[in-house]
Amino acid sequence: GKEIIMVKLFKRKSKTEVASTYQAQEDETKLEAASQWLLMWWKFRKDKLAIVGPGAQPAPEGFAKDTCKPYILSVGTVEPRKNYQQLIDAFAAISDKVPHDQIIAGRRGWHGVDIRAMAARHRLTDRIQWHQAPSDPELHQLYRDAALFATASTYEGFNLPILEAITHGLPLLASDLAVHREVAGDCALFAPLQTSAFADAMLQLIRDRTLLKSMQQHCPEQAAKYDWNASTDAILSTLLTAAGDSMVV
């Protein structure tokens, strides 16, 4: 049969399987990480595996940047692997040194922490906001107005919000995962998964305008690497090959 799961597409019992997301380990490249994960959990053949990444959605026109208080933005479902606890702890550690607020946009998911409770624990309820269900226009506005984007995920398949941030010209702070280095390239500063290191990196990004400007200049080139036309062409080509391999004439 044929099974479609989110942006993962698998054709079972054929000579070709297609996957457009993957779990990356820190010491692996994209293809190696994807192959190892799928081989281990799905028992796929490595020589019959094609990996296709998503494309970048251009930032919409007509959104004027607001002159609101600067903030650090994080986007994604609130669940353990997104590691929001560390993001909030890192922000709290530097909150008395910067004028920025922290905004987290994402619904509460599996075993999701209570963002408001964590803000209250740090006595930062006036500076840490949680937008649980922003509309697409609202999300674009959040990206457009942010000073920088931060993600501290412990593992990811791709981390699409990174690409969304890049298309909006946002410099990034990201946990040091192979997938983050590939997707963000020179648009990000990478930090180990330690609260103190993340706090230091966050403060560095806020204060170093030269570094911020350099990252922003790399955003258009990095976003251009992810094209939906190329992705759909690659998926279609692979599916046609799979269909041809399994046809009986």
Side-chain angles (χ1 to χ4, degrees):
K2 189 163 57 177
E3 185 174 352
I4 300 177
I5 308 175
M6 298 292 286
V7 293
K8 297 182 182 179
L9 192 153
F10 304 100
K11 184 167 183 178
R12 297 172 182 252
K13 299 181 181 178
S14 71
K15 294 185 179 180
T16 308
E17 293 87 15
V18 184
S20 63
T21 62
Y22 54 90
Q23 178 178 353
Q25 304 299 323
E26 293 185 17
D27 59 346
E28 294 177 320
T29 65
K30 171 181 172 180
L31 182 56
E32 290 170 346
S35 299
Q36 292 301 319
W37 183 71
L38 291 169
L39 285 169
M40 180 171 58
W41 294 104
W42 291 82
K43 309 302 181 185
F44 288 163
R45 289 176 52 184
K46 187 173 183 179
D47 62 327
K48 300 298 181 181
L49 178 65
I51 301 175
V52 181
Q57 184 70 28
E61 300 294 332
F63 281 83
K65 192 172 182 67
D66 201 341
T67 56
C68 62
K69 187 176 181 180
Y71 60 85
I72 301 163
L73 177 66
S74 298
V75 176
T77 303
V78 178
E79 57 186 13
R81 70 184 179 88
K82 291 295 186 180
N83 202 18
Y84 283 113
Q85 177 74 63
Q86 186 174 78
L87 272 176
I88 290 174
D89 289 347
F91 173 74
I94 67 167
S95 60
D96 61 341
K97 301 180 179 70
V98 299
H100 296 61
D101 285 345
Q102 184 176 45
I103 294 181
I104 294 169
R107 63 180 177 80
R108 189 170 184 172
W110 174 79
H111 284 194
V113 294
D114 188 330
I115 300 297
R116 294 190 180 92
M118 287 193 291
R121 180 167 60 83
H122 287 293
R123 298 182 180 180
L124 290 171
T125 54
D126 59 331
R127 295 185 61 189
I128 298 176
Q129 303 175 35
W130 185 14
H131 296 230
Q132 295 192 53
S135 65
D136 285 347
E138 289 168 341
L139 186 59
H140 285 304
Q141 192 71 60
L142 286 173
Y143 278 119
R144 183 61 58 90
D145 291 345
L148 62 95
F149 182 90
T151 175
S153 295
T154 55
Y155 67 89
E156 282 289 352
F158 186 86
N159 205 340
L160 188 60
I162 284 183
L163 188 54
E164 292 174 338
I166 290 172
T167 62
H168 286 81
L170 265 182
L172 294 100
L173 169 63
S175 47
D176 196 3
L177 303 179
V179 64
H180 286 170
R181 285 187 173 274
E182 180 174 358
V183 177
D186 293 327
C187 303
L189 177 65
F190 303 98
L193 285 168
Q194 299 168 355
T195 300
S196 59
F198 237 80
D200 290 344
M202 196 176 288
L203 190 60
Q204 178 187 354
L205 266 183
I206 290 171
R207 290 178 170 176
D208 192 337
R209 294 184 178 276
T210 301
L211 179 59
L212 284 174
K213 185 175 181 180
S214 174
M215 288 180 175
Q216 288 174 320
Q217 290 174 340
H218 284 101
C219 284
E221 180 182 0
Q222 187 67 17
K225 295 178 181 179
Y226 297 92
D227 178 71
W228 275 118
N229 290 327
S231 296
T232 53
D233 286 348
I235 292 173
L236 180 59
S237 175
T238 307
L239 290 176
L240 289 174
T241 300
D245 287 345
S246 45
M247 286 180 63
V248 178
V249 179

